[in-house]
């Protein structure tokens, strides 16, 4: 059982008594260590399988752990998420503790939150509704009741998406609506389980007799509510093993905190502490960059960082590339991916990771143009896709029919049987042209074909019925086969995954770290997020950024401050540096698009007048030159006084903001900014361009003092919309 474990992993596997804390860096084999610990304890007779509860945070991780435990002969061990384990206990004990049936579980709380907001006469758009729902979830996992929410937000330096008092009202009415309709949400599952275990010592004793040994994976992500439940499960005992890495704490916005991991030794002075630092995933070059990134970190988590040591052979140095604009960056990334694929790297072993999901569109387009298949991570789960469900029904029917199914008449082995069955559901030997829903469907079915081929190689005697059983097991474990395509994912969604080649894109200040990260703690979490991205790469790692968002824009953006002192030619103080010393400059221009006005950051079609002026959504990252913006406002006030008109008749706030973001160099660039029509360009253009160039301008208005500005008819529909005042 201990063969193949390194000395530290072996120490974890044999530490079967008392509290154990495993500090495990990225790629150090923590899952291997803890599953061998459980299996070794079971085989040694120290850990009865039914008495062990292993908890983690995702169905995928729990499914992977169950699979490994089965292979090691410890299939009787329960491996579940916190919510899954709590729900089973709640369903079992509810009739005894409360009486009657457990209230229905509300799978999606958004609709009820929307109703609560409407009853409060608060109008929420789709994004605000999602954010408000997230705030309610955060409040519940931090055990904050509605009336305490505003104070809790202020204390935590959290930026609420709306007035905290409004969210407090919505939260309170949401809870009232749930009670009226006898429904509970996922956070209630934990809260109610905690309540029953606290108020009913007899039930708590029953649970503790069942589960006597606990293993908690990803312990740095535990919320206060989950920690409270864990303590109730444990009681006065100390048979617990926790595994985590404070440097991978990236979910504080959901209530996660590394404090429980960092304070474990203080709560358990006799704990066995083991550090796993041998990195089996990444090359020395990738590990060196990861270590360097954390060496600049600050704060308590940084004090407990782990210095990783690569166990792999040397590989290529990380590539740093600077592009003129985002379309050029996407085209350059797609070109490099195609080169890797031509060199033999499978598309499924390549990932493009970005800070926010809204960045994906330009990469989807670039990959499609380059003929590179891709998949979006974080969308619909594999086994929940309609085409996969349909394929499962067809395979199950063919397995029942056996030799009577005419589709299988000419199929001589399992893979050919699967291809024959799936041919009736839309699978073809060659993929369809282009991208979109048709290609997505084909990729899902092709993944099932590859799974059948792998399954047949591992079990040559397997039948179609055996494969169907395997698919059912995988569906239950949320263990989806790999779709043969490049993965597009946010940095958050990439946690727990790895690829041969990783492209970290959009690494500019304002994106990484994100513009709304204000406090030192928030900035450090952004650094940890980039660290997670770096450590996803096994061999090839590319880091890139674009100096402007759109072709022809002023290249005023800076590479992420986190790369200062790490990328070739940069200074550790994070100052602006040139591209010498190993930083490539990507070229290329993409063709200009026509059609609806779209956000230059996330690509969403803009309809709000103020957003059209900015050419971006209100909440998307900004390149605003604040000093220039204030100078423009002062100049506008002087112009308005001279003209005897409101300030917005000169330029609205949003137009000034757009100017301060675009920093136009000439009249052509200034004219492209919505809200700057031909008349205003003629009247005010010289002054605005002088201010953008840092020059001083006189106090004279663009027209004689006291003369009214006759705007006349708008020059375009866009100008007609964008010249409206915001209020």
């Amino acid at each position: 059982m201990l063969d193949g474990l390194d000395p530290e992993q072996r120490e974890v596997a044999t530490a079967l008594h008392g509290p154990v804390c495993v500090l495990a860096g990225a790629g150090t084999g923590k899952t291997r260590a803890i599953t061998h610990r459980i299996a070794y304890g079971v085989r040694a007779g120290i850990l009865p399988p039914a008495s062990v509860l292993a908890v983690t945070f995702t169905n995928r991780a729990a499914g992977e752990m169950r699979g490994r435990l089965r292979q090691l002969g410890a299939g009787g061990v329960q491996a579940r998420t916190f919510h899954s384990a709590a729900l089973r206990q709640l369903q079992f004990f509810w009739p005894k503790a409360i009486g009657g049936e457990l209230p229905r579980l509300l799978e999606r709380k958004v609709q009820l939150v929307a109703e609560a907001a409407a009853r409060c006469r608060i109008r929420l758009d789709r994004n605000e509704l999602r954010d408000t729902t997230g705030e309610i979830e955060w409040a519940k996992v931090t055990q904050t009741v509605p009336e305490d929410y505003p104070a809790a937000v202020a204390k935590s330096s959290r930026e609420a998406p709306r007035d905290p008092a409004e969210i407090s009202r919505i939260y309170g009415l949401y809870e009232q609506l749930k009670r009226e309709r006898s429904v509970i949400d996922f956070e209630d599952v934990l809260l109610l389980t905690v309540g029953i275990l606290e108020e009913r010592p007899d039930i708590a004793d029953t649970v503790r007799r069942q589960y006597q040994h606990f293993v908690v994976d990803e312990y740095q992500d535990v919320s206060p509510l989950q920690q409270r439940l864990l303590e109730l499960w444990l009681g006065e005992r100390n048979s617990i093993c926790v595994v985590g890495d404070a440097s991978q704490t990236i979910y504080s916005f959901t209530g996660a905190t590394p404090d429980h991991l960092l304070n474990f030794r203080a709560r358990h002075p006799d704990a066995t502490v083991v550090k796993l630092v041998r990195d089996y995933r990444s090359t020395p070059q990738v590990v060196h960059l990861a270590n360097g990134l954390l060496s600049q970190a600050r704060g308590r988590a940084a004090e407990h960082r782990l210095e990783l040591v690569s166990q792999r052979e040397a590989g290529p140095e990380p590539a740093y590339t600077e592009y003129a604009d985002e379309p050029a960056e996407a085209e350059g990334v797609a070109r490099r991916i195609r080169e890797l694929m031509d060199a033999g790297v499978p598309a499924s072993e390549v990932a493009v990771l970005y800070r926010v999901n809204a960045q994906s569109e330009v990469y989807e387009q670039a990959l499609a143009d380059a003929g590179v298949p891709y998949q979006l991570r974080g969308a619909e789960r594999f086994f929940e896709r309609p085409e996969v469900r349909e394929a499962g029904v067809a395979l199950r029917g063919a397995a029942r029919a056996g030799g009577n199914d005419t589709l299988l008449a000419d199929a001589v082995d399992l893979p050919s049987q699967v291809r024959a069955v799936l041919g009736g559901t839309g699978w073809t030997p060659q993929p369809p042209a282009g991208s979109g829903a048709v290609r997505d469907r084909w990729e899902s079915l092709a993944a099932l074909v590859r799974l059948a081929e792998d399954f047949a190689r591992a079990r040559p005697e397997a039948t179609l019925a055996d494969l169907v059983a395997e698919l059912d097991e995988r569906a239950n474990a949320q263990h989806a086969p790999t779709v043969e395509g490049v993965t597009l994912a946010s940095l958050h969604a990439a946690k727990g995954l790895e690829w041969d080649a990783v492209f970290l894109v959009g690494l500019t200040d304002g994106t990484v770290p994100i513009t709304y990260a204000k406090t030192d703690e928030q900035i450090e979490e952004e650094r940890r997020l980039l660290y997670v991205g770096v450590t996803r790469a096994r061999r090839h790692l590319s880091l890139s950024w674009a100096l402007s968002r759109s072709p022809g824009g002023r290249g005023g953006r800076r590479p992420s401050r986190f790369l200062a002192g790490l990328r070739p030619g940069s200074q550790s103080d994070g100052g602006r540096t040139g591209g010498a010393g190993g930083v490539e400059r990507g070229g290329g221009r993409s063709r200009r698009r026509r059609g609806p006005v779209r956000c230059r950051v996330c690509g969403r079609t803009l309809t709000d007048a103020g957003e059209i002026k900015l050419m971006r959504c209100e909440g998307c990252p900004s390149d605003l030159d604040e000093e220039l913006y204030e100078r423009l406002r002062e100049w506008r006030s002087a112009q308005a006084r001279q003209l005897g008109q409101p300030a917005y008749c000169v330029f609205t706030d949003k137009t000034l903001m757009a100017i301060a973001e675009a920093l136009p160099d000439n009249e052509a660039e200034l004219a492209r900014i919505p809200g700057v029509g031909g008349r205003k360009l003629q009247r005010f253009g010289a002054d605005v361009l002088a201010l953008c160039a840092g020059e001083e301008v006189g106090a004279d208005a663009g027209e004689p003092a006291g003369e009214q500005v006759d705007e006349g008819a708008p020059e375009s529909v866009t100008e007609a919309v964008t010249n409206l005042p915001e209020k």
Side-chain angles (χ1 to χ4, degrees), residues 19 91 111 122 162 199 207 216 231 252 314 334 349 372 377 385 445 460 476 495 559 648 660:
Q91 289 170 332
Q111 292 177 340
I122 298 173
R162 291 185 66 92
E199 296 177 10
V207 173
V216 186
E231 291 169 354
S252 67
E349 286 297 341
V372 176
R377 181 161 184 85
R385 298 176 187 173
L445 298 177
N476 291 332
K495 178 74 167 63
Y648 69 75

Side-chain angles (χ1 to χ4, degrees), residues 568-645:
S570 65
Q571 302 296 321
S572 60
D573 63 0
R576 192 188 303 240
T577 60
V583 177
E584 298 182 16
R585 292 187 179 273
R589 283 286 186 272
S590 65
R591 58 187 178 275
R592 294 184 62 184
R593 300 182 180 182
R594 299 179 179 179
V597 180
R598 298 185 182 276
C599 172
R600 53 192 165 87
V601 182
C602 71
R604 182 176 70 86
T605 300
L606 302 178
T607 56
D608 177 77
E611 291 184 341
I612 290 174
K613 289 176 185 175
L614 293 178
M615 293 295 289
R616 65 171 175 83
C617 303
E618 189 77 45
C620 283
S622 167
D623 290 331
L624 181 69
D625 184 329
E626 295 183 359
E627 183 178 351
L628 173 60
Y629 178 63
E630 291 304 320
R631 291 202 309 272
L632 288 167
R633 284 172 58 88
E634 293 174 3
W635 165 84
R636 182 185 64 176
S637 296
Q639 299 293 312
R641 284 195 300 271
Q642 291 287 338
L643 297 171
Q645 291 194 336

